[in-house]
């Protein structure tokens, strides 16, 4: 047996050696000694490598012949003998070979973390997740997830679930939702009433509160009249003497006392007074009080209606028996309802609108990039708890929708979404009801289209307020604001029209008219200023104002040199004396209010017996102007189709005049110079620039003749839709013009640079009376603007043309064609803007690779500081950073480019310029973003992590970081979606 075993082993060794190409080159004596040994030639690297490969091939040959169990046993044995670095290498190799792409997080994470993740899902998503697997169903139906959702809605289980009971709260949620009564907005309006309009039925408690408010209002009116009387008949300071036994009677001089002295001057921060049940007294302040009997007497003298007396006595009796209303006494001094105007910063040249805002108008200029909740908070902070008389909205928009925010457009479809519905209900809750003159004024021509009118009516139904909007009958820029305005009843056929009176309530007429006509021109200038000098001007402005204020306060203001008038000295003395008699928490506001009313009393004394003004409430003491009820004109039947047709013909004549100017002022002199052998431009250049204009002029002259013929025989059944259809059939002329538009502009610029004669010609004829003070490039924009005017006028014409009219079909067809053509123009404009930005960015970044690849477009740019931490092992809350350099972040739709930004200041000036050098670029699909918590060492910082390295950046302000990161995350999600 032993002999056989030895022979078997030797045979294996012989097979091993014979099965290889190994042939020792040593002597015959050494060959016999090493033939059956495990000798390894360590000194001979080539032989060692050859022998290692032979042995590895042998082991692999055996590995292929073994079973799966034997292979796993071998792998286990080898891995237990490996070092840590070798095991790490095996782990990396396995991850690279078999990447982990899909992992069930419920099987990896602890149970409480899985439940926490699922708690963010909606009920519908939870039901979908429960269908994945049995384990997911167990997690998705846990009571800890569903109990909070039920309790928040007031749905409670009628019993306590058992210890082993499963999915009780989920079943209860499904049962409540399935039996929930859901009402449409119209049904909810009919049943519960709209906002600011209560239901018809009033409870007894509501009636009592209404009576209480009336009696308090009467008491306030009487007290205000007495205070005004005391202001007119006041004596010199220090001459007020109180009689011990006299109250409310007369003074020693025989002059009747007003009952309200400076000792009882009302405080701006009234402390609540307790109302007793035995003797009711409304303690206004200090030592002056008004008893319930005296209050009733004053009410009786101020009103002659027996019904008002019954209400007053009932209100007082209920007031004494309701402890919950003991602290409802409020200050009687309030400002009158003001107008609230919301202006988007995307409005062209909105700075000019701000310069003409009237007194009493609260203006809120909001960021177009924000959210609805942020806009609501900004408006709430502006009105400071008061109610506005009317709400105005000046935001980009057209005849069908309003671009309220960058991510929120207001239209008929989006108005009833939860976000917009909640926003408008809360915002309009701060506006007085319609019966008191409340309403909404939208500075967009919504009343010119069917969709816009539907939006107005839905908004009016939702808010319970009257909504006004322009009818879009005027053309050119924003001049539709100056046209007639129509309210929310335009759909009923009995509508009210006004000139631009709603708009003139907010902005001065001259300023508004100038802005409407010049907004586009001014916006071009302002856009260039914002793009080129925006950051520099902002910082320079802050520095200049700081220097001016410091110089003014410290070197120019000298209190000893101030000359104070006698009246001012008297007013300040009386105000300070009244202030010392009260424990005021806001002395400056009290003094300001006192001086305001002192000035009003002085003016009344100088007016020599001017009649008293009847007050409606405590708001009359304010300097803010009252918003009177708008007087509507008499409702008359107007042929709106004829008005629109005449406006169309008038604007068409102006349009043809501008196109004719192009040919008369530019084409005819250039062609004459060419024919006389004194060419300013070549024949090819003239054809490229001006030939498409002549084709459009020929087409529109025919359109204008047909339109004029229809107007000469105008009647109720007259049709002009077929004229528009004829025009739409020849829109290829406009298409050729738009396709050639960019080439024409480039040709003008090129010829102006290389041909001095053409440059002198443009300088001589541009911006003259013959060209309507416009340049050649601006005149070439007229066809683009005219398409938009056609759309607006056609929408208004379709609105006032009923379905049975013979012109309705042609108008609808022409409007549909022009809407599609307008979308085509907008697409061309976006493509041109994208190419321009890419070209400017390519020139701005030095050493940058080619950016014009595929469908790449620039989204946003952001300046930041590049930070570095000395030690990465320190916790984030204690980690310090040092600024390495300034960087520029250029976000594209597929990549993020980082540049090193260098700021170069100009000597002896405050100006500086920035240059960018290419640093790195990262594909958005492989980019991760993480915010760094604000600490005492770093703020507004975030981490950009790429596949190979990461960058820590920080912005100057928190809003800049939040906006950039939100846009970046959105771009990353879009890139990941396209990548998948």
């Amino acid at each position: 047996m032993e002999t056989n075993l030895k022979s078997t082993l030797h045979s294996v060794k012989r097979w091993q050696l014979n099965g290889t190409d190994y042939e020792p080159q040593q002597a015959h004596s050494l060959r016999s000694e090493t033939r059956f040994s495990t000798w390894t030639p360590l000194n001979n690297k080539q032989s060692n490598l050859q022998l290692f490969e032979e042995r590895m091939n042998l082991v692999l040959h055996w590995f292929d012949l073994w079973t799966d169990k034997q292979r796993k046993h071998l792998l286990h044995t080898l891995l237990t003998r490996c070092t840590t670095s070798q095991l790490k290498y095996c782990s990396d190799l396995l991850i690279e070979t078999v990447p982990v792409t899909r992992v069930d997080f419920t099987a990896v994470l602890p149970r409480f973390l899985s439940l926490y993740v699922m708690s963010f899902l909606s009920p519908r998503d939870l039901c979908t997740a429960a269908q994945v697997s049995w384990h997911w169903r167990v997690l998705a139906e846990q009571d800890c997830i569903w109990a909070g959702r039920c309790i928040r809605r007031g749905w409670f289980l009628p019993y306590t679930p058992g210890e082993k009971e499963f999915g009780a709260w989920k079943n209860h949620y499904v049962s409540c939702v399935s039996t929930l009564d859901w009402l449409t907005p119209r049904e909810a309006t009919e049943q519960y009433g709209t906002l600011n309009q209560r239901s018809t039925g009033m409870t007894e408690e509501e009636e009592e509160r209404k009576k209480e408010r009336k009696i308090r209002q009467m008491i306030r009116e009487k007290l205000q009249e007495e205070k005004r009387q005391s202001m007119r008949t006041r004596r010199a300071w220090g001459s007020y003497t109180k009689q011990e036994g006299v109250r409310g009677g007369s003074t020693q001089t025989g002059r009747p006392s007003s009952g309200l002295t400076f000792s009882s001057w009302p405080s701006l921060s009234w402390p609540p007074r307790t109302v007793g049940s035995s003797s009711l007294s409304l303690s206004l302040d200090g030592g002056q009080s008004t008893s319930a009997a005296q209050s009733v007497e004053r009410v009786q003298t101020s009103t002659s209606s027996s019904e008002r007396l019954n209400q007053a006595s009932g209100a007082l009796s209920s007031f004494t028996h309701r402890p919950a209303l003991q602290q409802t006494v409020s200050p009687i001094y309030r400002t009158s309802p003001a107008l609230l105007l919301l202006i988007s910063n995307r409005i062209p040249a909105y700075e000019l609108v701000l310069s003409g805002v009237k007194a009493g108008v609260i203006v809120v200029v909001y960021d177009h990039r924000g959210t609805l909740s942020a806009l609501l908070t900004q408006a709430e902070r502006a009105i400071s708890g008061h109610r506005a008389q009317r709400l105005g909205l000046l935001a980009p928009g057209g005849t069908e929708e309003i671009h309220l925010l960058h991510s929120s457009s207001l239209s008929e479809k989006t108005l009833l979404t939860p976000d917009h519905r909640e926003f408008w209900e809360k915002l309009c809750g701060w506006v007085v009801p319609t019966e008191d003159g409340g309403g909404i004024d939208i500075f967009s021509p919504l009343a010119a289209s069917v969709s816009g009118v539907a939006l107005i009516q839905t908004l009016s139904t939702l808010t319970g307020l009257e909504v006004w909007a322009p009818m879009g009958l005027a053309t050119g820029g924003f001049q539709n604001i100056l046209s007639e305005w129509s309210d929310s009843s335009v759909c009923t056929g009995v509508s009210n029209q006004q000139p631009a009176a709603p708009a003139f309530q907010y902005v001065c007429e001259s300023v508004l008219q100038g802005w409407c006509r010049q907004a586009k021109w001014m916006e071009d200038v302002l856009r260039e200023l914002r793009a080129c000098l925006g950051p520099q001007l902002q910082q320079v402005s802050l520095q200049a104002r700081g220097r001016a204020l410091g110089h003014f306060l410290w070197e120019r203001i000298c209190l000893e040199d101030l000359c104070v008038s006698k009246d001012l000295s008297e007013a300040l003395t009386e105000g300070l004396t009244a202030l010392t008699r009260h424990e005021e928490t806001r002395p400056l506001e009290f003094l300001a209010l006192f001086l305001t009313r002192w000035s009003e009393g002085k003016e009344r004394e100088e007016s020599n017996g001017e009649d008293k003004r009847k007050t409606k409430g405590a708001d009359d003491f304010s300097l803010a102007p009252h918003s009177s009820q708008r007087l509507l004109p008499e409702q008359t039947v107007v042929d709106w189709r004829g008005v629109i047709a005449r406006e169309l013909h008038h604007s068409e004549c102006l349009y043809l005049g501008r196109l004719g100017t192009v040919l008369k002022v530019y084409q005819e002199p250039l062609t004459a110079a060419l024919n006389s052998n004194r060419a300013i431009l070549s024949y090819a250049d003239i054809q490229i620039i001006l030939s498409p204009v002549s084709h459009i002029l020929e087409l529109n002259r025919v359109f204008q003749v047909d339109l004029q013929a229809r107007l000469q025989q105008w009647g109720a059944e007259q049709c002009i839709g077929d004229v528009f259809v004829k025009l739409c059939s020849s829109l290829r002329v406009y298409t050729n013009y738009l396709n050639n538009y960019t080439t024409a502009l480039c040709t003008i610029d090129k010829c102006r640079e290389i041909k001095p004669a053409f440059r002198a010609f443009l300088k001589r004829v541009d911006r003259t009376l013959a060209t309507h003070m416009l340049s050649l490039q601006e005149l070439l924009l007229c066809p683009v603007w005219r398409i938009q005017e056609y759309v607006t006028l056609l929408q208004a014409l379709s609105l006032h043309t009923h379905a049975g009219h013979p012109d309705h079909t042609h108008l609808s067809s022409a409007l549909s064609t022009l809407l599609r053509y307008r979308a085509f123009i907008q697409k061309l404009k976006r493509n041109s803007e994208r190419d321009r930005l890419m070209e400017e960015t390519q020139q701005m970044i030095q050493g940058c690779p080619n950016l014009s690849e595929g469908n790449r477009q620039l989204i946003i740019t952001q300046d930041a500081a590049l930070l570095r931490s000395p030690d990465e092992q320190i916790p984030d809350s204690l980690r310090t950073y040092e600024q390495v350099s300034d960087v520029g972040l250029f976000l594209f739709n597929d990549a993020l480019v980082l540049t090193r930004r260098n700021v170069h200041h100009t000597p002896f000036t405050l100006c500086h310029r920035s240059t960018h050098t290419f640093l790195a670029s990262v594909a958005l699909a492989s980019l991760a973003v993480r915010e760094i918590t604000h600490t005492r060492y770093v703020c507004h910082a975030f981490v950009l992590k790429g596949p190979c390295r990461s960058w820590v950046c920080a912005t100057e302000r928190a809003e800049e970081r939040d906006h950039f990161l939100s846009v970046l995350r959105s771009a990353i999600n879009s890139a990941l979606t396209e990548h998948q």
Side-chain angles (χ1 to χ4, degrees):
M1 184 66 180
E2 184 177 358
T3 306
N4 295 336
L5 181 59
K6 291 181 179 179
S7 62
T8 303
L9 294 175
H10 282 246
S11 64
V12 172
K13 291 181 179 180
R14 293 193 189 94
W15 176 85
Q16 176 184 359
L17 296 177
N18 292 334
T20 62
D21 296 332
Y22 173 73
E23 292 183 5
Q25 302 297 328
Q26 301 177 0
H28 179 70
S29 58
L30 294 176
R31 184 182 301 170
S32 60
E33 295 176 4
T34 62
R35 182 176 183 181
F36 302 104
S37 66
T38 60
W39 171 78
T40 301
L42 299 176
N43 296 330
N44 192 343
K45 294 183 179 181
Q46 184 177 2
S47 300
N48 188 8
L49 180 60
Q50 183 178 2
L51 187 59
F52 171 77
E53 293 177 354
E54 291 172 353
R55 291 174 179 173
M56 185 177 64
N57 292 333
L58 178 61
V59 173
L60 295 178
H61 176 73
W62 287 346
F63 190 86
D64 294 337
L65 299 177
W66 289 341
T67 62
D68 181 74
K69 183 177 180 180
Q70 291 173 338
R71 293 180 181 181
K72 292 179 179 178
H73 180 69
L74 176 64
L75 293 175
H76 180 267
T77 306
L78 291 176
L79 291 176
T80 54
R81 293 174 177 269
C82 292
T83 62
T84 304
S85 61
Q86 295 168 352
L87 291 175
K88 181 65 169 58
Y89 173 78
C90 294
S91 175
D92 297 339
L93 184 62
L94 288 175
I95 292 176
E96 183 178 357
T97 307
V98 187
V100 180
T101 56
R102 296 177 180 86
V103 178
D104 186 359
F105 69 93
T106 61
V108 178
L109 297 177
R111 183 185 180 89
F112 75 94
L113 288 180
S114 301
L115 292 175
Y116 179 75
V117 172
M118 287 191 173
S119 66
F120 291 97
L121 298 179
S122 62
R124 186 184 298 273
D125 294 336
L126 283 172
C127 295
T128 305
Q131 302 175 8
V132 174
S133 64
W134 177 86
H135 183 58
W136 280 52
R137 180 184 176 186
V138 172
L139 295 176
E141 294 183 356
Q142 290 296 317
D143 291 341
C144 61
I145 296 179
W146 293 92
R149 303 174 188 270
C150 293
I151 293 174
R152 281 195 300 269
R153 292 166 175 81
W155 302 336
F156 298 91
L157 276 177
Y159 67 97
T160 303
E163 296 181 358
K164 297 184 179 180
E165 189 173 355
F166 180 74
W169 283 98
K170 178 189 175 182
N171 296 333
H172 185 59
Y173 185 93
V174 173
S175 176
C176 293
V177 170
S178 60
T179 58
L180 185 65
D181 293 333
W182 183 83
L183 299 177
T184 63
R186 188 178 298 277
E187 294 172 348
T189 301
E190 296 175 354
Q191 183 169 352
Y192 301 106
T194 58
L195 188 67
N196 294 332
Q197 293 181 352
R198 297 192 175 187
S199 302
T200 55
M202 292 183 60
T203 62
E204 181 180 356
E205 182 179 356
E206 292 176 346
E207 292 179 355
E208 292 179 357
R209 293 181 180 177
K210 186 176 180 180
K211 293 177 181 178
E212 292 168 8
R213 286 194 295 268
K214 287 183 178 180
I215 189 62
R216 291 196 196 99
Q217 184 72 13
M218 300 173 192
I219 295 173
R220 293 191 192 108
E221 291 176 1
K222 190 62 178 177
L223 292 177
Q224 288 169 13
E225 292 179 2
E226 294 180 355
K227 289 171 191 151
R228 290 184 179 180
Q229 182 66 25
S230 65
M231 292 294 296
R232 293 191 185 98
T233 59
R234 70 181 186 276
R235 300 175 61 186
W237 176 69
S239 62
Y240 286 96
T241 57
K242 260 188 180 181
Q243 299 295 329
E244 290 292 331
V246 179
R247 286 195 186 187
S250 60
T251 60
Q252 291 178 346
T253 59
R255 186 177 57 185
S257 175
S258 63
L260 182 67
T261 62
F262 286 109
S263 61
S264 61
W265 196 271
S267 169
L268 289 177
S269 57
W270 262 357
R273 303 297 182 184
T274 304
V275 180
S277 59
S278 60
S279 61
L280 172 65
S281 64
L282 300 176
S283 179
L284 299 180
D285 213 325
Q288 184 74 17
S289 62
T290 305
S291 64
Q294 293 173 352
S295 300
V296 174
E297 291 178 1
R298 292 174 183 175
V299 174
Q300 290 175 353
T301 57
S302 61
T303 169
S304 61
S305 174
S306 60
E307 182 181 358
R308 184 67 61 86
L309 288 174
N310 296 332
Q311 291 181 353
S313 60
L316 286 175
S317 61
S318 63
F319 187 81
T320 57
H321 292 87
R322 294 184 58 85
L325 296 175
Q326 290 179 358
Q327 296 184 357
T328 57
V329 181
S330 59
I332 64 175
Y333 298 103
R334 296 180 183 173
T335 58
S336 62
L339 302 177
L340 178 61
L341 178 59
L342 305 181
I343 301 180
S344 172
N345 63 350
R346 288 291 300 273
I347 286 295
Y350 67 89
E351 295 88 348
L352 181 60
V353 181
L354 293 178
S355 66
V357 173
K358 292 185 176 180
V361 178
I362 302 175
V363 183
V364 176
V365 181
Y366 65 91
D367 191 356
H368 186 72
R369 305 173 300 179
T371 59
L372 291 175
S373 59
L375 175 56
L376 197 64
T377 303
Q378 192 174 357
E380 182 179 9
R381 188 183 302 114
I383 62 177
S384 302
H386 300 287
R387 303 189 76 179
Q389 182 71 26
R390 295 189 67 86
L391 170 66
L393 177 60
L394 182 56
T399 56
E400 300 174 352
E401 62 179 1
I402 303 172
H403 303 291
L404 188 60
L405 295 171
H406 176 70
S407 58
S408 299
S409 294
L410 179 63
S411 62
E412 183 185 4
K413 298 180 180 178
T414 61
L415 177 59
L416 297 181
T417 57
D419 294 339
H420 279 278
R421 186 185 183 92
E422 180 182 5
F423 170 79
W424 284 103
E425 287 179 350
K426 290 184 178 180
L427 183 62
C428 296
W430 303 326
V431 182
V432 299
T434 304
E435 54 268 22
D436 296 334
I440 304 174
D441 301 319
I442 300 178
F443 291 64
S444 294
L446 295 179
S449 66
V450 178
S451 301
V453 170
L455 172 60
I456 293 175
Q457 188 179 26
T458 306
L459 183 60
S460 178
T461 304
L462 175 64
T463 60
L465 298 175
E466 187 183 42
V467 181
W468 287 79
M471 300 183 64
L473 302 183
T475 57
F478 290 86
Q479 297 190 50
N480 49 49
I481 298 177
L482 304 176
S483 66
E484 286 77 6
W485 285 52
S486 179
D487 64 351
S488 52
S489 62
V490 70
C491 295
T492 63
V494 184
S495 59
N496 300 325
Q497 289 83 23
Q498 283 192 4
F504 295 152
Q505 291 183 1
Y506 300 87
V507 187
C508 297
E509 182 175 356
S510 59
V511 176
L512 186 61
Q513 289 180 351
W515 174 78
C516 290
R517 296 185 177 95
Q518 304 175 15
K520 288 189 175 181
W521 316 117
M522 297 190 65
E523 178 61 17
D524 294 337
V525 178
L526 293 175
R527 185 185 296 111
E528 293 294 330
L529 287 176
R530 295 191 195 105
C532 301
L533 302 175
Q536 294 87 342
L537 287 178
Q538 183 179 6
Q539 188 170 2
V540 169
S541 176
L542 291 174
Q543 295 175 355
R545 280 183 288 174
R547 296 191 191 100
L549 183 61
H551 180 76
F552 183 78
L553 290 177
W554 293 101
E555 298 187 15
R556 294 296 182 184
I557 294 294
C558 298
L559 296 179
E560 61 272 14
D561 297 335
L562 286 178
C563 296
V564 181
S565 64
K566 181 179 179 180
D567 292 339
L568 181 58
S569 301
E570 182 183 354
L572 287 175
T573 304
E574 292 183 5
L576 293 175
T577 303
L579 181 61
T580 56
R581 299 178 182 178
H582 300 276
E583 296 179 0
E584 287 294 332
T585 58
R586 296 179 295 177
L588 294 180
E589 296 182 12
F590 175 85
L591 188 59
L593 183 61
F594 178 87
L595 293 177
T596 299
R597 289 214 307 286
W598 189 92
S599 176
E600 291 179 353
K602 192 73 174 177
E603 292 177 358
R604 292 192 189 95
E605 289 180 356
E606 294 175 356
S607 62
N608 295 325
E610 181 183 357
D611 294 335
K612 298 181 180 179
R613 291 186 303 171
K614 298 273 184 171
T615 60
K616 293 184 179 181
D619 298 334
D620 290 339
F621 277 115
S622 173
L623 287 179
H626 291 278
S627 298
S628 59
Q629 181 73 20
R630 189 165 51 235
L631 299 177
L632 299 177
E634 296 184 359
Q635 297 180 359
T636 57
V637 179
V638 181
D639 182 16
W640 290 110
R641 296 187 75 250
V643 173
I644 299 169
R646 286 189 291 272
E647 172 62 25
L648 174 63
H649 179 264
H650 174 69
S651 58
E652 186 70 19
C653 293
L654 295 178
Y655 174 56
L656 292 178
R658 292 189 177 183
L659 293 183
T661 298
V662 175
L663 301 184
K664 181 178 180 180
V665 178
Y666 294 95
Q667 187 178 29
E668 291 181 2
L670 292 176
T671 305
L674 180 65
N675 296 333
S676 61
N677 295 327
R678 296 181 179 180
I680 300 176
L681 285 182
S682 63
Y683 179 78
D685 292 336
I686 296 176
Q687 292 297 316
I688 292 175
I689 298 173
L690 301 175
S691 177
V693 179
S694 61
H695 298 329
I696 292 180
L697 184 60
E698 294 176 2
L699 173 65
N700 281 83
R701 279 176 177 170
V702 177
F703 174 73
Q704 190 262 347
V705 171
D706 295 341
L707 189 62
Q708 185 176 5
R710 301 297 173 89
L711 282 177
Q712 291 177 353
Q713 302 176 357
W714 184 257
E717 300 297 324
Q718 183 62 271
C719 299
I720 59 175
D722 53 342
V723 180
F724 268 105
V725 172
K726 180 180 177 181
L727 176 67
C728 293
S729 63
S730 303
L731 283 180
R732 62 179 181 274
V733 176
Y734 278 85
T735 304
N736 296 333
Y737 176 83
L738 293 173
N739 292 332
N740 183 70
Y741 176 69
T742 305
T743 305
L745 291 182
C746 294
T747 304
I748 293 174
D749 296 337
K750 181 188 68 176
C751 295
R752 187 176 181 277
E753 291 295 329
I754 64 178
K755 297 183 178 180
F758 182 64
R759 183 164 58 248
F761 172 77
L762 290 180
K763 187 176 182 180
R764 185 172 62 253
V765 300
D766 271 352
R767 305 189 186 282
T768 59
L769 293 177
T771 61
H772 305 276
M773 302 305 294
L774 300 176
S775 64
L776 175 59
Q777 293 86 342
E778 293 168 348
L779 287 171
L780 293 180
L781 268 176
C782 291
V784 180
W785 298 336
R786 189 56 182 167
I787 294 295
Q788 176 60 41
E789 293 176 355
Y790 282 152
V791 172
T792 302
L793 292 173
L794 267 180
Q795 287 176 335
L797 198 60
S798 300
L799 175 64
H800 296 281
T801 304
H802 57 85
H805 197 280
D807 200 21
H808 184 269
T809 303
H810 289 131
L811 287 177
S812 301
S813 176
L815 179 60
S816 177
T817 303
L818 286 176
L819 285 174
R820 291 195 300 269
Y821 203 80
R822 185 182 66 175
F824 166 69
I825 295 176
Q826 293 174 353
K827 182 179 179 181
L828 291 178
K829 184 178 179 180
R830 289 194 299 268
N831 293 338
S832 176
E833 185 72 14
R834 182 189 63 185
D835 296 341
R836 183 185 64 82
L837 288 176
M838 293 297 295
E839 183 179 356
E840 292 178 356
T841 306
Q842 185 75 54
Q843 297 175 357
M844 184 188 305
I845 305 175
Q846 301 177 2
C848 182
N850 185 21
L851 296 176
S852 302
E853 296 178 356
N855 196 24
R856 179 177 297 161
Q857 52 183 329
L858 180 64
I859 300 178
I860 190 176
T861 61
Q862 179 62 52
D863 294 338
L866 184 62
L867 307 179
R868 181 180 61 187
S869 177
D871 191 355
E872 299 292 340
Q873 303 298 327
I874 301 176
D876 292 342
S877 60
L878 301 176
R879 187 180 301 174
T880 60
Y881 294 88
E882 59 181 0
Q883 182 173 348
V884 179
S885 62
D886 294 328
V887 294
L889 305 176
F890 294 82
L891 178 60
F892 298 89
N893 58 338
D894 60 344
L896 177 67
V897 175
L898 290 87
T899 63
R900 187 181 302 277
R901 183 169 61 92
N902 298 319
V903 180
H904 304 280
H905 290 269
T906 306
F908 304 105
T909 64
L910 298 176
C911 302
H912 67 273
R913 60 185 181 88
S914 300
T915 58
H916 296 265
T917 306
F918 179 76
L919 188 62
S921 62
V922 185
L924 294 183
S926 59
L927 181 64
V929 184
R930 178 175 62 88
E931 296 185 16
I932 297 179
T933 306
H934 177 74
T935 64
R936 59 184 300 182
Y937 304 107
V938 65
C939 57
H940 318 322
F942 54 93
V943 180
L944 302 174
K945 188 174 183 181
C948 300
R949 59 171 299 186
S950 61
W951 299 268
V952 180
C953 304
T955 60
E956 290 289 338
R957 296 179 294 176
E959 53 268 21
E960 292 181 352
R961 184 193 69 168
D962 296 340
H963 176 62
F964 176 74
L965 291 185
S966 63
V967 176
L968 177 59
R969 291 191 178 100
S970 177
I972 291 175
N973 294 334
S974 302
L976 291 175
T977 303
E978 295 178 359
H979 184 70
Q980 292 176 355

